[in-house]
Structure formats: structure tokens, C-alpha cells
Amino acid sequence: DLAPIAEGQVIKVFWRSKPIFIMHRTKKEIEEARRVDPATLPDPQPDQARVKEGYDQWLVLIGICTHLGCIPLAHQGEYDGFFCPCHGSQYDTSGRIRRGPAPTNLAIPPYQFVSDTKIRIGAA
């Protein structure tokens, strides 16, 4: 249930023993993510490919650093996205790797919107 998540807030839930970050992005966070040219990123991916169409404010990620499997901190680092204190990987407000040893973006679990305020994580 997404209804209680305030704009700008990130919550952590668990799915299949993995931490899942659900981020209710602000308009500013979305705009910052979309201003970045994907071609300049280590793992090029536009912000629009990382969210469900029509639900740009909701970012759903597997909260495991793609470097060595640590759990990053939300709203941290130079890009105000996610920061992994173990080895310094920094992700932006779209969960894309921007700096550090992580080779790829934070993964997106399979999920779908079942209503405007509820998602189901996992296969349908």
C-alpha cells in the first residue's frame, strides 16, 4: 500500500528476503533524473525505463548494491539518491550508478500496479 508514503520518503520492505526500496519521488527528483544524458552513465538507462508509465513518482528497486551486495542508504551521496558506505558506490534518484565500483544500476524487481495506491511485487 503506497498511500502512507509521503512525497520524498523512501521505505524499505522485503520480498524474497531481499530489501526493496520504494521511493515516492518529488518533482525535483524526477526532473534531476531526467536531465541526465543516459549516454554519460556507466550503465546507460533513461529514467523513464526505470519506472512504470504514468507512475513516474514511484521508484521501486532491489536495495542491494551491485558491487558486493551491501545495502545502500537512501537520500545519501552526491546525487541524493542512494549511497553504499561499504565501498563508496553512489546512485542517483533513479537508482542508476553514477560513481564508485558498482558495475550496474540498482535492479528493479518485477512489480505491477494493481491500483493507483497499491503495487504487487513479484510475478503476477
Side-chain angles (χ1 to χ4, degrees), residues 7-85:
E7 187 178 57
Q9 184 181 12
V10 178
I11 68 161
K12 181 169 57 173
V13 298
F14 288 89
W15 170 70
R16 294 189 175 176
S17 301
K18 294 178 184 171
I20 303 295
F21 292 141
I22 301 173
M23 182 178 193
H24 188 173
R25 302 190 304 171
T26 64
K27 185 176 180 184
K28 179 180 180 248
E29 289 169 332
I30 296 167
E31 288 170 354
E32 286 172 356
R34 299 212 167 156
R35 270 199 301 267
V36 176
D37 177 0
T40 65
L41 300 172
D43 184 8
Q45 196 173 33
D47 179 68
Q48 292 89 330
R50 300 186 53 77
V51 295
K52 301 288 185 189
E53 188 174 342
Y55 297 97
D56 299 341
Q57 72 275 32
W58 297 108
L59 182 66
V60 181
L61 304 167
I62 297 175
I64 299 175
C65 181
T66 59
H67 177 230
L68 291 175
C70 301
I71 298 175
L73 304 172
H75 288 299
Q76 300 285 319
E78 189 177 328
Y79 305 95
D80 197 33
F82 302 89
F83 172 70
C84 186

Side-chain angles (χ1 to χ4, degrees), residues 92-120:
D92 64 13
T93 57
S94 189
R96 299 173 298 195
I97 184 64
R98 299 292 295 275
R99 174 174 289 159
T104 57
N105 301 331
L106 292 174
I108 299 169
Y111 75 98
Q112 63 186 11
F113 278 84
V114 293
S115 75
D116 282 344
T117 59
K118 290 190 193 287
I119 62 170
R120 178 181 298 122

